[in-house]
Amino acid sequence: VAGFAATAVTVTTTTKTQAGPKVPAMNAGESQTFTLEPYEILNIETDTPGGDLTGTYIVSNQPVGVFGGHECGASATDTCCCDHLEQMMIPVSAWGKAYVASRSAQRGVESDYWKIVASEDGTQVNTNPYQGDIPVLNAGQSWELKSNTSFLIQSNKPVMVGQFLSSSYEINGSCSTGCQNGTTCETLGNGIQACSAAVLSCNGDSDCPQGNT
């Protein structure tokens, strides 16, 4: 989103993108420059299922606002269900080397998901308590992990950290590891199996099971 006249925005994408009005399709690693006027919007979308724009580099000659999003994102690919995601991006100049990865409010046995994105080559990332090996990341590369606890993230070069909540279908465990909290393994309409509790349905208070309204 532009706020100033004659704003030149150069996009270097990490994946194939769709063509649109005045927006050519791009291949991974390709750059295009676009000129925007105040309040005009440039929309870039992937062209393939599973396409990921993470690491796409955007630079402009005037201040701009950048949002990242997903039409239907799911942290765990084997668990229902996906949600629309949308978040304003933090400029690289504001990325840091130390983060407190704070556990979200516990709903059940689910974990939180974390995504770490590097801004420079040779980025080394460590966690405390230890959350598994993280390879050395180059500019634009990312690493995803999940954890059910709070921990520290420290790096030798600036990184961006994103936190994602689990699907409601992960709260009660999984069919492969065993359902928790009185739930049972059920096959959903899309064929995915998930731990699910019985859903109560009634048209009026008098029709509801005792203790429910």
Side-chain angles (χ1 to χ4, degrees):
V1 181
F4 299 89
T7 298
V9 180
T10 300
V11 178
T12 304
T13 181
T14 55
T15 190
K16 187 177 181 181
T17 65
Q18 296 183 27
K22 299 182 181 180
V23 179
M26 292 187 286
N27 293 313
E30 186 177 348
S31 297
Q32 290 283 350
T33 299
F34 307 88
T35 300
L36 302 178
E37 298 303 324
Y39 313 116
E40 286 188 332
I41 296 172
L42 171 66
N43 189 61
I44 304 290
E45 295 186 35
T46 62
D47 191 47
T48 54
D52 190 354
L53 287 167
T54 298
T56 292
Y57 188 61
I58 300 172
V59 62
S60 61
N61 66 339
Q62 302 271 21
V64 294
V66 179
F67 292 82
H70 199 296
E71 292 179 355
C72 197
S75 296
T77 57
D78 61 344
T79 303
C80 177
C81 294
C82 63
D83 286 304
H84 176 77
L85 303 177
E86 192 172 278
Q87 183 67 45
M88 192 168 193
M89 297 292 95
I90 301 171
V92 175
S93 60
W95 291 14
K97 299 179 183 179
Y99 292 84
V100 175
S102 180
R103 176 73 172 91
S104 65
Q106 194 85 30
R107 296 172 290 169
V109 298
E110 83 287 354
S111 297
D112 284 347
Y113 292 83
W114 302 87
K115 189 167 190 173
I116 303 167
V117 185
S119 63
E120 300 179 25
D121 292 345
T123 297
Q124 298 175 335
V125 182
N126 297 296
T127 56
N128 184 22
Y130 177 70
Q131 302 296 316
D133 291 340
I134 300 176
V136 175
L137 302 175
N138 290 325
Q141 291 183 330
S142 63
W143 185 256
E144 297 180 26
L145 60 90
K146 68 176 183 177
S147 176
N148 58 10
T149 188
S150 298
F151 57 98
L152 297 177
I153 299 173
Q154 294 178 306
S155 61
N156 64 332
K157 297 180 180 181
V159 296
M160 180 176 69
V161 177
Q163 179 182 16
F164 303 86
L165 301 183
S166 294
S167 162
S168 60
Y169 280 90
E170 295 180 70
I171 295 173
N172 297 311
S174 67
C175 292
S176 60
T177 59
C179 296
Q180 308 292 320
N181 303 324
T183 60
T184 57
C185 182
E186 298 183 9
T187 301
L188 307 179
N190 56 9
I192 292 177
Q193 290 188 319
C195 297
S196 180
V199 178
L200 300 177
S201 177
C202 47
N203 297 319
D205 290 351
S206 59
D207 298 329
C208 294
Q210 186 176 3
N212 296 277
T213 58

